[in-house]
Structures are given as C-alpha cells and as structure tokens.
Amino acid sequence: MSAPPTLLLLTRPESASRAFLEALLRAGVGQVEPIISPLIDVTVIGPLPDLSGLAGLVFTSANGVRAYTALGGAPGLPAFTVGRATARAAEQAGLRARAAEGDADALVAMLAQDGARGPLVHLRGSHARGDVAKRLTDLAIPTTEAVIYDQPIRPPNEDALAALQGTRPVVAPLFSPRTATFFAALPKNAPIFVAAFSEAVALAAGGPHIVSPGIARRPDEAAMIACTADMVAQARKLEARRGRV
C-alpha cells in the first residue's frame, strides 16, 4: 500500500500560495496534499504618493507591486526589486524591473554598486524589515517610503487546524519571521517540517513539534522550492518508517 500524499500547509496570501504550489509541482516536488490557509491578508490602503520627478520605484515584495497597480500606478517607470519573483510581478505591471538577489541587504547593495540616483520611493506594506529607505538615503541615494498595503494576521482555517493537530507529518514553507512567529503559537500535535526562507524565519518558527527545520540556501524562490522539496522528502521518509512499525 503506497503512502498517502504529504500534507503541505501553505500560509501565504491566496495568490502567492497558489503560485508557489504551481512552482513546486513544476519542479516535481512529489505527491503532496496542499492545504491553503493564509495567515496574513493583504489589504490595499494607499494612497500612492506623488510620483512626479522620481528616478524609480523600490519594491520588497510582489504584494507592493500588486498594490501599486490596484491604486492606479502607471507603467513605464524603473522598478528596483528585492528578487526575481517581485521583478516578474513588476514586469507584468509594465514596469522596467531590475532584480537583486533576494533580500533587503542585496537590494541596497545592488543600488549602491550601480551608482543609482534618486529620488526613489520604497512602496511597502505596514510591516517591513530592512529599513531600506533610510539605508539608501544614508548612501546618498535619496529615498522616501510609502505604506500602500496592510498585512493583518488571520486565523488558520479548519483544514489547517486539523492537519496541525493530527498525526500525519506536515510540511510548512514559511517566508517571514512575522508569519513564523504566529505559526509557532498555533496548537500542534503533528510532526512539522518547516522550510524556512532564512535563519530568522527558522528561529521564529521554533517549537517542540518542529522535527527538522530546513533553511533555504539563498533568499529566493528557487532555493525555497529546493528546501521545500527536501522537507517533503524527509516527511515521506518519516511516514514510511511509521508504516513499517
């Protein structure tokens, strides 16, 4: 009798969770039973700041690009993004995107090395890490910031709670320390295999039911896909061992 599909708990907002699931399936992650239960909502709040005279836009998530578009942001401007997934979203919005290698440090370093000139504006959510605007301004690249979307916490759905409190292993890709902190506080009984976007995420997600936190080798989508695939493989091995007992 073959093992059941591995439970895969996806906690990003709905569109991001579905896009990540599609990327995992394209990569051949194996048989998974996805449970989509966003722990964070994305609510556009705006308004956009005055964009006249800007040399470019700075985005540290695809959510910022989507909020920019929803608020009527025009295409055509240069956009400097934290990683390739955000750059793809910017290009789909008609912006001229240039991507860093996955985190705020890499984004600041890229702009400094390129000799970027301001003024720039960092369009971000209400919860952001990296202090991008201040760091760029301190490097003589004048940058302001504007909060154009909120990220309220939402409770897990019934399917997610049932999986976490069950006995089957659960693989949970986690992308931010804030989500990981909330995830860590949820009641659990199942063995949990966390695929963490960074060491900070892995630390925030820690708890007694975490079997083996994996950490992506780089802060980008490709590395998270590989890390999640590894956690799925480990969860399947645990399920197989249990089946032999």
Side-chain angles (χ1 to χ4, degrees):
M1 182 175 176
S2 60
T6 302
L7 294 175
L8 176 68
L9 178 57
L10 300 168
T11 61
R12 300 175 93 186
E14 182 88 17
S15 60
S17 286
R18 292 196 179 281
F20 188 66
L21 175 60
E22 289 174 5
L24 285 170
L25 296 177
R26 285 196 302 270
V29 71
Q31 290 189 319
V32 294
E33 181 180 331
I35 300 169
I36 296 178
S37 177
L39 298 183
I40 290 180
D41 269 331
V42 175
T43 306
V44 177
I45 55 175
L48 288 177
D50 182 5
L51 303 179
S52 58
L54 285 175
L57 311 173
V58 177
F59 293 105
T60 45
S61 84
N63 291 325
V65 177
R66 286 188 280 268
Y68 172 80
T69 302
L71 291 166
L77 286 171
F80 305 101
T81 72
V82 70
R84 295 173 188 172
T86 306
R88 286 195 297 270
E91 288 166 355
Q92 290 168 1
L95 301 169
R96 293 180 282 126
R98 174 158 161 68
E101 293 302 316
D103 60 15
D105 291 344
L107 177 58
V108 170
M110 179 187 78
L111 287 165
Q113 290 166 6
D114 287 355
R117 295 184 180 181
L120 306 175
V121 61
H122 178 199
L123 300 174
R124 67 174 183 84
S126 54
H127 298 271
R129 294 165 60 87
D131 214 2
V132 170
K134 181 180 184 305
R135 290 167 66 187
L136 289 173
T137 300
D138 288 346
L139 291 169
I141 306 171
T143 305
T144 57
E145 61 181 6
V147 174
I148 61 172
Y149 65 97
D150 194 15
Q151 303 133 288
I153 291 290
R154 62 184 287 183
N157 61 31
E158 291 183 2
D159 289 342
L161 286 173
L164 292 173
Q165 295 173 23
T167 58
R168 292 170 59 189
V170 176
V171 174
L174 297 174
F175 287 79
S176 76
R178 183 167 177 254
T179 304
T181 298
F182 183 52
F183 178 81
L186 296 175
K188 303 178 190 69
N189 180 65
I192 309 295
F193 292 79
V194 166
F197 192 67
S198 67
E199 291 185 10
V201 173
L203 183 63
H209 291 281
I210 305 300
V211 177
S212 176
I215 301 173
R217 293 186 178 182
R218 300 177 311 280
D220 61 33
E221 183 181 64
M224 269 299 281
I225 289 170
C227 183
T228 302
D230 183 47
M231 292 299 101
V232 169
Q234 291 194 35
R236 292 189 72 78
K237 288 179 181 177
L238 175 60
E239 195 109 57
R241 288 198 299 271
R242 286 178 163 186
R244 291 196 294 266
V245 173

